[in-house]
Amino acid sequence: MVKVNKEKCIGCGTCVAICDEVFEMKDNKAQVKKDAKKDSECIKKAIDACPVEAIS
Ligand code: F3S
């Protein structure tokens, strides 16, 4: 299951730019949308693209 580590996230927004069907910004941190599809192909891209590896 995909998760954003809010301690690590620096709010760069890359994951939202790459995969806005799964990620959204809240209080300058990324979070996983409630109704997100957990098998979206862009999740892996977002994981690879996050500069601080906050997505797992
Ligand atoms: Fe945060 Fe990484 Fe997304 S820093 S906003 S989880 S790309």
Side-chain angles (χ1 to χ4, degrees):
M1 156 135 171
V2 60
K3 280 201 311 194
V4 175
N5 181 333
K6 295 208 171 199
E7 307 288 306
K8 281 191 179 176
C9 175
I10 55 170
C12 73
T14 303
C15 55
V16 178
I18 290 176
C19 195
D20 75 341
E21 67 196 67
V22 174
F23 302 100
E24 64 187 1
M25 299 305 291
K26 171 118 195 286
D27 302 329
N28 293 319
K29 305 273 175 173
Q31 67 182 15
V32 176
K33 289 182 172 177
K34 263 203 213 82
D35 56 353
K37 277 174 51 197
K38 307 296 187 212
D39 59 348
S40 290
E41 273 183 33
C42 57
I43 290 173
K44 200 178 171 303
K45 284 189 199 153
I47 291 171
D48 290 343
C50 177
V52 293
E53 298 180 0
I55 307 168
S56 56

